[in-house]
Amino acid sequence: MPVVTTLTVRVGRGKDAVVRAGCRLLGRVVPAAACQDDPAPVTDSVAVRVTLPRPGASPDGPRTVVAENLTKTYPGGVTGARDMSITAHAGEIVAVVGPNGAGKSTTLNMLTGLIRPTSGSATVHGVPISDVKRLAAVLGVALQTSGLDPAMTAAEHFETQAALYGVPRTVAASCSATLLGLFGLEAYANRQISQFSVGLQRRLVLALAMVHDPPVIILDEPTAGLDPQSRHVVWDLLEKLRAEGRTIIFSTQMLEEADLLAQRLYVVAEGRVVAEGTPSQLRKAYGELTIRVRVSGSLDEAAELIAAGRPQLAAARRETDCLVYSTTHDSGDAEAIMAVIGGSPLELLELSVGRPSLEDAFMRLTGTAIRPEPLLSVGAGGPLCRCG
């Protein structure tokens, strides 16, 4: 079933859309000071019932990101991405997962206009990625490298970012205050970035990406290097932004993160999309059920009995005092193992069946071997150069 929630918002026809959007995230009313330059200030508050896509369901919203066959070949013949096709809808979080060197960052950098694709095309909120100036107006970006100036304060970064995006100064001030509160950065507004922890810097980068109220946000490894507490703060923030109807695409190597946040996953390996679907779909299609068996007697004896009674079952692996078997849906292996042990002198202490894991699916799709990663020049013709 879809998720239905009620939001209370202030309604007006003015130009302070950035402030109103930030305040809606916080559930607050728009400050009167933010509307002084607004010819039609906020006049009333209404309760609105909003239907959000159920996590894991096919979204009903319009497609806001459409990438078709994006390919990037760097000078020297190194191919960072091959025929990457990705779609994301309004109100949806999409995760791009894969091992190091799989092409995640290359793909996101093409979507943000930082890298020109060798071939293929993409649009973000209807804007071609080749139109970098228009793209900046509809897209918020937070990359792995923060780009923050250690000598500047958080407040100064907001002022600079707002000026770059052409946000009016009075609106920018209110928007900055709202975002500082939303991201838990109010106490650090006047601190230099050199004093910020990694977690604070990641939150600030994400907040800065929201200054111009973009409908689409692209994040490259948003929680890389964060401690568990900071990671959960970022996860909560991303879910709030999604609930506002924004589209979020992020790359990650953390399967827990992708499973928790994303309605849809793209698994990439060696520059290609090798699988796509909801987390549950990928688990069922590529993961394996596990059966854990614990007995009162010898595990070796139990393994021999099960192998004789169920020869088609793959050999077990040992985990402390248990035998763990991999199997498939509707195989009947659990019932067969119970019957084998039940007819022996051994006492069955535990027999449990675990659902397929996303990690199992990931390993089957991408492999287990460490793959060589090419060194890419960042000079002329390198991955951050627009002349490629």
Side-chain angles (χ1 to χ4, degrees):
M1 295 290 293
V3 177
V4 179
T5 185
T6 301
L7 301 178
T8 300
V9 299
R10 289 281 182 129
V11 180
R13 297 190 303 272
K15 298 180 291 184
D16 61 331
V18 177
V19 180
R20 291 200 304 273
C23 289
R24 285 199 303 271
L25 283 173
L26 287 172
R28 299 175 182 172
V29 298
V30 179
C35 302
Q36 289 177 353
D37 298 333
D38 195 335
V42 172
T43 59
D44 201 1
S45 62
V46 296
V48 182
R49 286 176 64 81
V50 181
T51 301
L52 304 175
R54 177 177 61 84
S58 297
D60 298 323
R63 296 190 302 173
T64 52
V65 177
V66 180
E68 297 180 348
N69 302 315
L70 287 179
T71 298
K72 179 60 182 180
T73 302
Y74 296 109
V78 175
T79 300
R82 299 178 178 87
D83 298 321
M84 298 287 288
S85 296
I86 292 176
T87 300
H89 298 72
E92 181 182 33
I93 297 180
V94 172
V96 180
V97 301
N100 290 333
K104 303 186 300 296
S105 294
T106 296
T107 300
L108 296 191
N109 283 337
M110 285 190 287
L111 289 176
T112 60
L114 288 175
I115 296 178
R116 290 181 179 176
T118 305
S119 61
S121 63
T123 59
V124 176
H125 208 67
V127 179
I129 58 173
S130 57
D131 191 342
V132 179
K133 184 174 291 187
R134 289 177 58 209
L135 187 65
V138 299
L139 181 61
V141 180
L143 301 178
Q144 287 191 60
T145 52
S146 69
L148 300 174
D149 187 332
M152 291 174 59
T153 66
E156 290 168 343
H157 275 89
F158 274 107
E159 293 174 8
T160 303
Q161 189 89 340
L164 289 173
Y165 282 103
V167 180
R169 182 170 296 182
T170 54
V171 174
S174 296
C175 176
S176 299
T178 299
L179 290 171
L180 284 166
L182 175 64
F183 286 84
L185 296 169
E186 291 171 304
Y188 310 98
N190 297 311
R191 298 285 187 89
Q192 289 183 316
I193 303 305
S194 59
Q195 301 176 24
F196 277 37
S197 66
V198 174
L200 287 175
Q201 290 187 40
R202 297 301 294 172
R203 277 192 268 162
L204 177 58
V205 169
L206 181 54
L208 290 171
M210 299 298 303
V211 165
H212 58 302
D213 192 28
V216 181
I217 306 168
I218 291 181
L219 313 169
D220 194 6
E221 303 275 1
T223 62
L226 298 188
D227 58 67
Q229 289 84 357
S230 297
R231 190 179 303 129
H232 280 271
V233 168
V234 172
W235 290 349
D236 290 342
L237 291 170
L238 293 181
E239 181 55 35
K240 287 180 181 179
L241 296 174
R242 184 199 71 82
E244 276 284 299
R246 303 181 200 273
T247 303
I248 299 173
I249 299 179
F250 73 96
S251 66
T252 185
Q253 298 179 62
M254 293 179 54
L255 299 181
E256 175 194 5
E257 181 170 74
D259 198 2
L260 178 69
L261 293 176
Q263 283 72 60
R264 198 145 43 90
L265 306 180
Y266 286 88
V267 182
V268 299
E270 298 180 353
R272 297 180 184 275
V273 173
V274 295
E276 177 232 335
T278 67
S280 61
Q281 288 172 340
L282 294 180
R283 274 194 294 266
K284 290 178 181 178
Y286 301 101
E288 294 180 329
L289 289 173
T290 57
I291 302 175
R292 296 174 61 86
V293 179
R294 189 162 60 92
V295 297
S296 60
S298 168
L299 282 181
D300 291 334
E301 183 180 350
E304 291 175 3
L305 287 170
I306 294 171
R310 197 71 174 173
Q312 66 269 39
L313 190 61
R317 67 177 185 269
R318 296 285 188 95
E319 287 187 3
T320 60
D321 59 346
C322 291
L323 296 172
V324 181
Y325 293 90
S326 295
T327 184
T328 58
H329 291 274
D330 304 321
S331 66
D333 288 328
E335 295 84 353
I337 291 174
M338 185 177 294
V340 168
I341 300 299
S344 74
L346 299 175
E347 181 184 358
L348 183 63
L349 300 179
E350 177 188 348
L351 191 148
S352 58
V353 179
R355 72 171 185 171
S357 72
L358 199 57
E359 184 171 354
D360 290 338
F362 181 85
M363 297 301 287
R364 291 182 66 183
L365 287 164
T366 63
T368 58
I370 297 177
R371 45 178 56 84
E373 300 178 33
L375 297 175
L376 303 178
S377 170
V378 295
L384 299 182
C385 180
R386 297 186 185 276
C387 59

